[in-house]
Amino acid sequence: MTEFKDEHNAVIGVFLQRLYRQIIKLSIFVRIFAQILNQDKMYRTHTCGELRISNVNQQVTLSGWVQKTRNLGGMTFVDLRDRYGLAQLAFNMETNAELCGQARKLGREFVVKIEGSVQERSNKNPKMPTGDIEIIVDEISILNKAETPPFTIEDDTDGGDELRMKYRYLDLRRNPVRKNLELRHKMAQEIRSYLDSVKFMEIETPVLIKSTPEGARDFVVPSRMNQSQFYALPQSPQVFKQLLMVAGYDRYFQIVKCFRDEDLRADRQPEFTQIDCEMAFVEQNDILNTFEDLAKHLFKKIMNVELKGDFLRLPYDEAMTFYGSDKPDLRFDMKFVDITELAKQNDFIVFNQAQYIGGICAEGCAGYSRKKLDKLTKFVQKPQIGAKGLVYVKCNEDGTYKSSIDKFYSQEDLKKWAGLFGAKPGDLLLILAGDRNKTLTQLSELRLEMGEQLGLRDRNKFTPLWVVDFPLLEWDEETERFHAMHHPFTSPKSEDIELMDSDPGKVRANAYDLVINGVEIGGGSIRIFDKELQQKMFKLLGFTPEQANEQFGFLMNAFKYGAPPHGGIAFGFDRWVALFAGIDSIRDVIAFPKNNSGRDVMIDSPSSVSKEQLDELLLKIVKKE
RNA sequence: GGUCUGGUAGUUCAGUUGGUUAGAAUGCCGGCCUGUCACGCCGGAGGUCGCGAGUUCGAGUCUCGUCCAGACCGCCA
């Protein structure tokens, strides 16, 4: 019995001991947890942008950057900033001279923590969200001093682009830049949640891949473990997403960095972000409908713009004929009118010898002065555009016509032209002539310029369209062979397949672009999923079977094992964000962009590497002659 | 690879046919100021005129070269 009792007691003892240990452990956890909580409260109870009149009399702790101090002698005001907004701190010489003195010494961009109470302002500032209140400060601690920044951290900064890029971390503190990044974040979130809701899976694909000669120049990365061999950074995850289709992941997407080693532009960075998508068991219409819905969803959710009806689907041929561009800005009409037949029958040698004569009708511009017309002529004569000259026809209010080539054409002739344009009295016809393709491109520039001058390119108006039926191939004069216009995996239209042998240039592809306001936002195609057809395509592009096998053998192999019909699209995420932000340069929607020469001036890259690094890679730098 | 534009104070810019000590605004420093919020007022400091040649009695200004930045053409399947 005693034995049992002792045993019983021992069990209880052990139990108590264990319980005690557990309680100790728990209390340590609680203490740490409380500390974490307190730590959080230690620096701030609120953010600078959130306090309102309803917070009056609350004791608060705020941390942030000093935006500005205003020293009025007896009083001092300090604007404290974080990414949520500004709060005004108030200091009074009478109530606390020492504290007020401290506040006066705060420099711009000092990081400070303050404690104080929220009070209603006697002088409210309706321009600020927090303009009804201010903080009467009890205590300041300087968490970190700051050197005077090289430019002002304000919406309208005095800093130029170069300086802002060098100190991008300061530039990012500014509202306009922050707003762009917030927009970017919201769009990415919305895209993910929308695509997820329609069963798309985000799958990551590798960044160190294989170089291929097609398309843009690759960024190349030397491999140490595989001497004298190189990876390439992906220009897009193209082949991987097709392999994912073979693998049965029938709806894939990825918001992913892509790399192209080509010269930069305002809308082109060497590393940029795509919304890369691919679907299996679809034809062109399925893709267009799916992503038209995504586009509409984004417009609604992000911009609060309701896009009514289906997007226009404009064949490439028509886009070129009527707008001279595969990415026409359809916020305004101003279609090209071809007057070759009518205008050719004459002595005017420029028109006589032209392959194409056509123009646009600028409504209500008949009153343009000589000076303005000369300026337009200079515009089309710029080397980048390259027109020889510009012919105008003013459709006067009195029904007469005034043209730069009156000598050659009668009023009757000009009237006929105006008829073709559907011009009304008061309108101005602007006409270019020459080689068909070149003239169409030049007219396109002129059309955009006129749209700009007439204020028809409103940033708050959005006119999306699909450009469809792109040519499969493009003849390259330099290499004297066909190039894939989209990429080598794009399928030809089934009704055009027979042309692949007879007239490859005429073959149309199941390829499409999404164009909004003259910006190419995205593009894609239905892919070839038949091994034979793919090989035929490689042959057309001038690959020997060996080359094709070496570069894309893995894809051909995969196609042997049951590839489903598939297709996809990729959107330029940076461009889309810039479009929504109403700006032209994608640099402003990228946190750390590269400059015109592909340099990051903040971290100063690219840079040279050590001799050891080169040796390890068996690389040697040879100076260019 | 090419065309164009620009480089002057910490910053944004002005600077006349080549001519005395290179200016303004803003920022910075100091002083004054009790309701500012683009605070105001007074004062001060601050310059390798991108760099290198050349022309000239004399160059921020003219010429050539070069570097840097931006826009565009080529390039960007």
Side-chain angles (χ1 to χ4, degrees), chain A residues 454-603:
Chain A
L454 297 175
L456 301 172
R457 306 182 71 189
D458 178 359
R459 285 185 189 280
N460 295 314
K461 187 180 173 187
F462 297 98
T463 312
L465 74 144
W466 294 103
V467 177
V468 297
D469 302 349
F470 276 84
L472 183 68
L473 303 161
E474 205 175 16
W475 183 254
D476 182 42
E477 294 289 345
E478 218 172 282
T479 53
E480 296 197 323
R481 65 179 186 93
F482 281 109
H483 271 280
M485 190 144 179
H486 188 54
H487 59 53
F489 318 111
T490 299
S491 70
K493 290 213 167 283
S494 51
E495 60 267 35
D496 289 359
I497 287 183
E498 51 184 18
L499 288 170
M500 281 177 86
D501 297 315
S502 54
D503 192 356
K506 282 255 163 63
V507 179
R508 289 167 306 157
N510 290 311
Y512 33 81
D513 277 359
L514 175 63
V515 175
I516 309 178
N517 295 1
V519 180
E520 184 194 329
I521 289 294
S525 64
I526 297 299
R527 326 297 182 192
I528 297 170
F529 69 106
D530 173 73
K531 196 169 144 268
E532 309 299 321
L533 186 57
Q534 184 66 67
Q535 269 163 358
K536 192 170 186 174
M537 181 71 176
F538 283 140
K539 199 176 155 195
L540 258 180
L541 295 172
F543 285 80
T544 64
E546 292 73 33
Q547 284 169 330
N549 189 52
E550 192 196 324
Q551 279 161 30
F552 300 111
F554 58 94
L555 189 69
M556 297 296 89
N557 260 337
F559 280 6
K560 290 181 198 163
Y561 295 100
H566 62 287
I569 191 164
F571 299 96
F573 185 51
D574 313 279
R575 284 186 189 173
W576 205 338
V577 180
L579 179 86
F580 275 14
I583 51 186
D584 295 322
S585 170
I586 63 170
R587 270 172 226 185
D588 298 330
V589 301
I590 296 173
F592 299 104
K594 310 247 183 306
N595 76 4
N596 222 11
S597 352
R599 297 199 67 84
D600 183 324
V601 290
M602 184 180 61
I603 64 171

Side-chain angles (χ1 to χ4, degrees), chain A residues 14 57 72 101 136 143 199 209 230 369 381 391:
Chain A
V14 168
N57 290 331
L72 275 69
I136 308 298
L143 302 176
K199 303 267 189 301
I209 64 166
F230 295 82
S369 62
Q381 286 173 336
V391 167

Side-chain angles (χ1 to χ4, degrees), chain A residues 24-38:
Chain A
I24 296 283
K25 270 191 202 166
L26 190 68
S27 74
I28 290 170
F29 277 128
V30 167
R31 217 177 306 158
I32 291 172
F33 192 60
Q35 261 175 10
I36 290 169
L37 280 181
N38 271 337

